[in-house]
Amino acid sequence: MAPWRNEALQRGYLSSMSLPIKKFNKVLGAFSFYAGEKDFFDTSEIALLEEATVDVSFALENFEKEKLRKLAEDEITQANDRFEMIALTTNDVLWDWNLLTNEIWWNNNFYKLFGHNKQKKIPDINSWINGIHPEDRKKVTDGIRSVIDSGGNFWQDEYRHLKTDGTIVYVYDRGFVLHDENAKPTRMIGSMLDITELKKAAEEIVKEKNLSDSIINSLPGIFYLYNKEGKFLRWNRNFETVSKYSTDEISQMHPLDFFDACEKQLLTEKISNVFVTGEDNVQADFLLKTKEKIPYYFTGKVIEYEGENCLMGVGIDFSENLKAQKDIEQSAEKLQQLTIHLLEVRELERKRIGREIHDELGQQLTAIKMGVTWVNRKMPEGLIDVKDKLKSIINLINGSNQSIRRILSELRPTILDDYGLIEALDWLGTQFTETTGIPVTFTKEMKSIKISEQITTCIFRIYQEALTNITRYAGAKKVTTNLNITGESVLFSVQDDGVGFDASAISEKKSFGIVGMKERVQSLKGSFTLDSEPGKGTIITISLPFNITSN
């Protein structure tokens, strides 16, 4: 204070006093007073100056309060303007409920949405409660009252509200509870959103899902849908029934968990290929929780599901098919065995009949011929008529012997048993040429071997049947035959240059000759092929496996 005191003395001031200027108890400055007389400021002067200073502080506080009030009013005005703009531009229904008077304010969307006429009088809360669907009314009012009574701050609910024409509107409603300084609820503000279309869409989605679930669960096999990471997204009830895993267990498993270790590499490749090429399939054993295995046929196809590529497929249990296939194979095996047996029985029966004809009928005819010849020699030359008759009988016996030899060759040519397959085939071709005039070229590529009687008989009979068919139908000018015997198989072919036919139509006709040839070959585990086209002749090729023995 020394500088101020010196300045005051230089100016002739002998007394001074200073009073603080305050605003809301905060010192903003000071009033300083000076006098030329010593002890000028007495008690009354000081009191008067203090009062004046207080008045200045009071005025400053009032100016500040007015400023703050105007600022508050401006903010309220701006807030109201913003609220009005929001109320006009939003699609929501806005509401303001006075909990003390039960009056409620709605924006225009309330009247538009539900078809009410806007009232001059502020409506009460019943304007809302009465519009709630009767089945939802108690739930909604109990819920909002529970929040208010418990001192809560937030409430929300979904319910149905009725339009004036009775149409149902699904709404999502939520509100905030405002409390006074005593924590008493005084006001509640909120907004209501029309979710009718969302609700319908959700219901349609549920219907579609229920329909797809029904379709999936009605499938005869197992259904599965999983993403590239192997996370199962959907499966049917049959998947759980067959695998014996629960829903929770399957949701945590990988597709490869349902296969044995020896098949996982194959399944990995197949699954990867589905995501590369779009689809694939595989046969594998489905591994159950009980460690049982069931043969299944699995399919896989890539589809887009919830924004990502996934594998969808079905698995079909074909264990019954395998069993049926085995039964068919066993039946076919038995039929082949039966065919072999019947063919053997027939060949044996032919041999037996041939022996009986040769031994009995042949000998009897020979004896008769010898007797007739003896009688003819003993007859006098003068009995010309009798001798001519005896000669006629001898010629008849000779013809019978030729018929017997022909029948014996058809039943079982002795050349086949006496000289073997090659000589028998050569003889058969020669007989064919003598009968028909059609030349036969017979070539052979073989080692010195001994062929089993079954194979020998099979090839001979097929050649015999083929030449018979050529005679009847082919109109051929030449026939080419080839026999090729190796250490593993016998290859035999017969080819003609005749008229040919449509080989694909054989199955529609009763071609028992061709069927018989095919059955003979298949009964010996061989293969039979017949190729023919109209105008291009016919070729029959057979292949028979066998074990050879050296001569």
Side-chain angles (χ1 to χ4, degrees):
M1 293 293 292
W4 292 95
R5 184 173 181 275
N6 293 333
E7 288 292 328
L9 290 174
Q10 288 179 4
R11 287 173 172 76
Y13 297 125
L14 300 177
S15 299
S16 69
M17 67 172 294
S18 182
L19 296 173
I21 301 173
K22 296 180 180 180
K23 185 174 71 173
F24 301 120
N25 295 322
K26 182 179 179 181
V27 176
L28 300 179
F31 281 128
S32 296
F33 303 95
Y34 298 92
E37 297 180 9
K38 189 177 181 179
D39 298 325
F40 176 80
F41 299 103
D42 57 15
T43 303
S44 60
E45 288 290 338
I46 291 172
L48 182 61
L49 291 173
E50 286 179 345
E51 184 178 350
T53 302
V54 170
D55 290 339
V56 171
S57 295
F58 180 75
L60 291 173
E61 290 177 354
N62 282 338
F63 288 148
E64 184 67 22
K65 288 178 180 179
E66 182 64 19
K67 180 181 177 182
L68 294 173
R69 184 186 65 78
K70 287 183 177 181
L71 289 174
E73 288 179 352
D74 290 342
E75 290 178 357
I76 292 172
T77 301
Q78 291 177 1
N80 286 334
D81 290 342
R82 285 194 295 268
F83 180 78
E84 290 295 333
M85 290 176 63
I86 293 172
L88 290 173
T89 57
T90 184
N91 291 324
D92 290 6
V93 173
L94 303 181
W95 50 270
D96 186 350
W97 178 17
N98 188 326
L99 299 177
L100 302 179
T101 65
N102 243 4
E103 294 177 336
I104 189 168
W105 170 88
W106 301 98
N107 70 344
N108 290 332
N109 291 336
F110 173 81
Y111 303 99
K112 292 178 182 179
L113 179 60
F114 298 112
H116 294 290
N117 293 322
K118 193 169 184 179
Q119 305 173 16
K120 293 183 179 179
K121 181 182 176 182
I122 298 177
D124 61 19
I125 193 63
N126 290 322
S127 63
W128 167 65
I129 294 176
N130 293 335
I132 300 175
H133 193 285
E135 294 179 2
D136 297 341
R137 190 174 297 157
K138 186 175 187 308
K139 172 183 75 87
V140 175
T141 54
D142 287 352
I144 198 169
R145 180 52 61 185
S146 174
V147 171
I148 295 172
D149 293 344
S150 65
N153 296 317
F154 180 72
W155 163 84
Q156 64 177 350
D157 204 349
E158 287 184 16
Y159 57 91
R160 292 168 290 177
H161 201 286
L162 300 176
K163 290 185 176 183
T164 54
D165 62 1
T167 305
I168 295 176
V169 178
Y170 288 88
V171 298
Y172 169 64
D173 205 351
R174 66 275 194 197
F176 293 88
V177 182
L178 304 180
H179 300 81
D180 62 13
E181 62 276 8
N182 297 318
K184 179 181 179 181
T186 59
R187 187 179 174 191
M188 193 169 183
I189 57 175
S191 63
M192 183 188 299
L193 178 64
D194 179 6
I195 60 170
T196 304
E197 293 302 320
L198 292 176
K199 203 75 174 177
K200 289 181 179 179
E203 290 175 354
E204 287 299 319
I205 291 173
V206 171
K207 288 181 181 178
E208 289 296 327
K209 185 178 183 303
N210 290 337
L211 176 61
S212 64
D213 285 344
S214 299
I215 295 173
I216 290 170
N217 287 324
S218 66
L219 293 174
I222 61 175
F223 171 87
Y224 42 84
L225 175 68
Y226 52 83
N227 60 17
K228 281 187 176 181
E229 288 69 38
K231 178 175 177 55
F232 281 97
L233 304 176
R234 295 189 72 177
W235 58 88
N236 62 353
R237 283 196 298 267
N238 209 28
F239 194 105
E240 298 178 8
T241 302
V242 174
S243 69
K244 296 180 172 57
Y245 285 103
S246 66
T247 300
D248 292 338
E249 288 174 325
I250 294 175
S251 66
Q252 302 298 320
M253 295 177 71
H254 190 276
L256 294 178
D257 294 337
F258 295 92
F259 300 95
D260 206 355
C262 61
E263 293 186 315
K264 287 188 178 182
Q265 180 62 35
L266 172 63
L267 268 297
T268 300
E269 294 173 359
K270 289 291 184 177
I271 292 171
S272 299
N273 192 50
V274 170
F275 286 103
V276 173
T277 63
E279 61 182 315
D280 205 341
N281 57 75
V282 66
Q283 292 183 10
D285 289 335
F286 190 46
L287 183 62
L288 313 186
K289 186 176 182 179
T290 58
K291 303 306 178 183
E292 298 175 80
K293 296 179 183 178
I294 302 177
Y296 260 74
Y297 176 78
F298 297 97
T299 66
K301 187 176 181 65
V302 172
I303 66 166
E304 185 175 341
Y305 182 77
E306 295 184 351
E308 63 177 333
N309 284 340
C310 297
L311 186 151
M312 178 185 71
V314 294
I316 303 297
D317 179 359
F318 66 98
S319 54
E320 290 298 324
N321 293 19
L322 288 180
K323 183 178 180 298
Q325 183 177 348
K326 289 181 180 178
D327 291 341
I328 292 173
E329 290 175 354
Q330 290 176 356
S331 298
E333 181 69 24
K334 291 179 180 178
L335 286 174
Q336 287 186 347
Q337 293 174 358
L338 178 60
T339 300
I340 294 173
H341 175 69
L342 291 176
L343 291 174
E344 289 176 348
V345 169
R346 186 166 64 178
E347 292 298 329
L348 290 174
E349 186 66 14
R350 283 179 171 181
K351 284 183 178 181
R352 184 188 65 77
I353 294 173
R355 282 195 302 269
E356 290 183 359
I357 291 175
H358 180 273
D359 294 343
E360 295 183 13
L361 184 58
Q363 290 178 8
Q364 290 175 2
L365 286 174
T366 301
I368 292 172
K369 180 180 177 181
M370 292 173 63
V372 172
T373 302
W374 183 84
V375 171
N376 185 41
R377 285 200 303 267
K378 298 296 183 180
M379 290 292 272
E381 293 296 332
L383 299 175
I384 296 174
D385 292 340
V386 174
K387 290 181 76 66
D388 289 342
K389 188 65 175 177
L390 290 174
K391 289 180 180 179
S392 176
I393 292 172
I394 291 172
N395 291 332
L396 183 62
I397 293 172
N398 289 334
S400 297
N401 280 326
Q402 290 178 356
S403 297
I404 288 174
R405 284 194 293 271
R406 179 179 56 79
I407 292 171
L408 288 175
S409 67
E410 290 178 356
L411 286 173
R412 179 76 178 184
T414 56
I415 192 172
L416 187 63
D417 295 324
D418 295 339
Y419 298 99
L421 176 63
I422 295 175
E423 285 76 6
L425 295 178
D426 199 16
W427 172 82
L428 199 58
T430 301
Q431 293 294 315
F432 172 79
T433 300
E434 291 177 356
T435 304
T436 64
I438 302 172
V440 175
T441 301
F442 177 46
T443 60
K444 47 192 178 297
E445 300 174 15
M446 55 178 292
K447 299 177 181 179
S448 180
I449 57 173
K450 183 177 180 180
I451 304 174
S452 69
E453 184 178 350
Q454 286 181 326
I455 294 177
T456 298
T457 303
C458 175
I459 294 175
F460 182 84
R461 293 302 182 191
I462 287 175
Y463 192 26
Q464 193 176 45
E465 180 66 28
L467 293 176
T468 300
N469 289 340
I470 292 172
T471 303
R472 292 177 179 175
Y473 312 114
K477 295 180 180 180
K478 65 177 181 178
V479 176
T480 302
T481 306
N482 178 263
L483 178 66
N484 184 5
I485 302 177
T486 66
E488 297 179 353
S489 62
V490 177
L491 299 176
F492 180 70
S493 65
V494 182
Q495 183 175 5
D496 68 71
D497 61 351
V499 296
F501 58 91
D502 184 3
S504 62
I506 291 179
S507 60
E508 301 176 3
K509 300 179 180 180
K510 296 181 179 180
S511 304
F512 294 115
I514 295 175
V515 173
M517 287 190 284
K518 189 174 182 179
E519 286 294 329
R520 274 186 180 273
V521 174
Q522 290 180 343
S523 68
L524 297 178
K525 309 296 184 183
S527 63
F528 175 91
T529 58
L530 185 148
D531 295 315
S532 183
E533 292 183 31
K536 295 185 178 181
T538 304
I539 179 170
I540 293 174
T541 305
I542 67 171
S543 175
L544 296 169
F546 76 110
N547 295 322
I548 63 175
T549 57
S550 299
N551 276 344

